[in-house]
Amino acid sequence: MRGITWRRADLRAADIRTGLKWKLSAAIALVGALVAVALSLVVHNAARVSMLDNARDLADERIRIAQRNYELSGRPNFPNVKVDDPRLPEPLREKVHQGRRATYVTDADGGPDIWAAVPVQDGRVLSLHTGFTDRSTDILNDLDQALVIGSIAVVLGGSAIGVLIGGQMSRRLRKAAVAAGQVAQGEPDVRVRDAIGGVVRDETDDLARAVDAMADALQQRLEAERRVTADIAHELRTPVTGLLTAAELLPPGRPTELVLDRAKAMRTLVEDVLEVARLDGASERAELQDILLGEFIARRVAAKDPDAEVRIVHESEVTTDPRRLERVLFNLLANASRHGKPPVEVTVEGRVIRVRDHGPGFPEALLAEGPSRFRTGSSDRAGRGHGLGLTIAAGQARVLGARLTFRNIRPAGAPEYVPAEGAVAVLWLPEHAPTNTGSYPMLP
């Protein structure tokens, strides 16, 4: 029973995705099929009723002729005419006994039977029995075949129209989604309305204009906040520098060490805030140089953290900005030393750099959403750090055109609730570095 419950919950949680054009095509095909079936039934019944009415009129005309001949000759001398036929349907017999001439239709295995009856002068009943003619049956069959073919054509045509209309809408919405994603990634010049194009104006254009307006308003607000942050940090640099200089002039002692430590921490915080503000402004450009990545990383790690282990699996020459790469590396090492546990391992494999510690791992919020300012790389901050290190590392990686990912190390096959055996940050340098204008070179 538990297994069944789990499967049902799994099915409910399953994400079934279908394109808009297929949904629209299916809806049009379904409506077309329903309309075609309804019209086919109406046309078929109307044609059958019309043919039966014609057959009854013809039978009525024949029974009148047979009646005149019988009254003149005293015997039935018309084809298919009988006197007091025992097979005469009872409802028709009752009408004739009332002195009325009438027709009647019965359903038989071979098709409908047409009856006509009339009372004659000697009190007997003269009746005519004919079947549905083969020609009428053929006509009705041909009509049914034409209706089936027409219904299929309507369904297929409706599906094709649905695919065309839905495909156009789907393309416009897909372009809008791509453009909105580019805006979310920090490309301020992208506009959703320009991306979807088109001459016809519909609800998609209204949505695109609303998204563009929201992006513009958000960009203006973020730019205003960035400027305020940068201005405040810039204004703090002078008094913090003066405070640090004054603290260095104090007489040696424990109070002086505390003041110097806090002043240096404040200066570092101000510099980090300024750097974050510059990275948010998307105006930073990489100054590219060709370097041997493994040799570069080994030298920088030895200078920053001599206790860290460096392993070069595969050396490679890359084109990047050494200063920004060093900044990313130092911030990752500082985060591993501050929030993780030794040994800290740095691995270089081609264009990939891995920094691993053996601590409790990154918090789930950081793994799910990425680094955020004033949120540290540890689930227990304990007052250590401001969370700007990983934010700056991610920002500098974007300037380099690189990709920075974070994950926790767990034993093979271990579930999520098992404590991690360490955290690893992976920096993927691009094969083609961005130019000094921030764009990427055109490849042949």
Side-chain angles (χ1 to χ4, degrees):
M1 181 62 69
R2 290 181 179 176
I4 295 176
T5 304
W6 179 82
R7 290 189 187 95
R8 287 177 179 172
D10 244 15
L11 289 175
R12 285 196 298 268
D15 184 14
I16 301 176
R17 180 176 178 179
T18 307
L20 177 62
K21 65 178 180 180
W22 301 117
K23 292 180 180 178
L24 188 59
S25 175
I28 293 178
L30 180 60
V31 173
L34 294 176
V35 173
V37 169
L39 289 178
S40 298
L41 292 176
V42 171
V43 172
H44 173 85
N45 291 333
R48 187 174 184 274
V49 169
S50 177
M51 290 181 180
L52 289 176
D53 289 342
N54 292 335
R56 293 175 72 171
D57 292 341
L58 180 60
D60 183 68
E61 182 68 24
R62 289 179 176 178
I63 198 64
R64 283 189 294 173
I65 296 174
Q67 178 187 13
R68 289 195 296 268
N69 292 342
Y70 181 82
E71 291 175 350
L72 292 175
S73 61
R75 58 187 179 83
N77 57 0
F78 200 85
N80 299 325
V81 173
K82 294 182 179 180
V83 178
D84 294 334
D85 189 345
R87 298 179 300 164
L88 191 67
E90 192 60 31
L92 182 58
R93 189 186 301 275
E94 292 177 359
K95 291 183 179 295
V96 173
H97 286 165
Q98 295 174 3
R100 299 169 56 187
R101 185 180 75 251
T103 58
Y104 192 76
V105 178
T106 60
D107 290 327
D109 294 338
D113 286 341
I114 313 299
W115 292 84
V118 63
V120 291
Q121 293 178 351
D122 54 3
R124 306 178 76 181
V125 176
L126 192 66
S127 62
L128 172 67
H129 178 209
T130 59
F132 210 46
T133 63
D134 293 338
R135 178 176 175 80
S136 298
T137 303
D138 292 341
I139 293 175
L140 199 58
N141 290 336
D142 292 341
L143 178 62
D144 290 341
Q145 184 177 3
L147 290 174
V148 170
I149 295 175
S151 300
I152 294 175
V154 168
V155 172
L156 294 179
S159 300
I161 294 175
V163 169
L164 292 176
I165 298 176
Q168 183 179 6
M169 294 179 61
S170 180
R171 283 192 298 273
R172 287 166 63 85
L173 290 175
R174 193 175 295 113
K175 290 179 181 179
V178 171
Q182 293 174 344
V183 173
Q185 292 175 0
E187 299 185 19
D189 296 333
V190 177
R191 288 296 175 266
V192 179
R193 178 63 194 87
D194 297 335
I196 62 176
V199 178
V200 180
R201 298 292 182 262
D202 53 17
E203 289 79 1
T204 309
D205 297 88
D206 298 337
L207 175 62
R209 291 190 181 91
V211 172
D212 289 340
M214 179 184 66
D216 290 338
L218 184 60
Q219 183 67 26
Q220 293 174 3
R221 181 173 180 178
L222 291 176
E223 180 63 20
E225 292 179 355
R226 185 192 67 82
R227 288 180 179 177
V228 170
T229 303
D231 292 343
I232 293 175
H234 189 272
E235 292 298 326
L236 285 175
R237 292 180 71 179
T238 301
V240 168
T241 303
L243 177 62
L244 183 60
T245 303
E248 292 175 347
L249 299 177
L250 295 175
R254 181 60 181 168
T256 301
E257 293 178 359
L258 293 176
V259 173
L260 280 173
D261 180 70
R262 293 299 86 194
K264 290 178 180 179
M266 185 176 295
R267 182 180 64 180
T268 301
L269 176 59
V270 171
E271 296 294 336
D272 287 347
V273 170
L274 274 174
E275 187 170 358
V276 170
R278 287 195 299 268
L279 292 172
D280 287 344
S283 59
E284 295 289 286
R285 295 292 180 263
E287 298 178 3
L288 304 179
Q289 296 181 21
D290 293 333
I291 61 172
L292 291 176
L293 186 60
E295 179 184 349
F296 177 85
I297 296 298
R299 291 202 311 268
R300 295 304 188 274
V301 172
K304 177 67 175 179
D305 188 359
D307 296 330
E309 302 177 7
V310 180
R311 187 164 65 98
I312 302 175
V313 178
H314 176 65
E315 180 67 277
S316 65
E317 183 177 358
V318 299
T319 302
T320 187
D321 187 331
R323 181 182 65 83
R324 298 183 188 276
L325 178 59
E326 179 184 87
R327 179 66 162 151
V328 175
L329 177 64
F330 283 2
N331 283 14
L332 295 180
L333 288 173
N335 184 80
S337 300
R338 181 179 294 118
H339 302 294
K341 293 180 180 179
V344 177
E345 302 172 354
V346 180
T347 305
V348 180
E349 185 176 358
R351 298 176 178 274
V352 181
I353 305 169
R354 295 180 177 87
V355 179
R356 179 190 174 181
D357 61 62
H358 291 75
F362 293 113
E364 295 300 325
L366 187 144
L367 296 177
E369 304 172 9
S372 178
R373 61 200 66 180
F374 299 106
R375 184 178 65 190
T376 66
S378 171
S379 57
D380 182 16
R381 286 183 56 181
R384 297 180 298 170
H386 302 278
L388 295 178
L390 294 182
T391 303
I392 292 173
Q396 295 289 7
R398 284 194 299 270
V399 176
L400 295 176
R403 183 163 59 97
L404 183 60
T405 61
F406 305 92
R407 63 184 177 90
N408 291 334
I409 303 297
R410 286 187 173 87
E416 292 294 328
Y417 60 82
V418 175
E421 296 180 344
V424 56
V426 185
L427 181 67
W428 311 73
L429 292 176
E431 182 177 359
H432 301 282
T435 64
N436 55 3
T437 61
S439 61
Y440 286 84
M442 297 295 294
L443 301 181

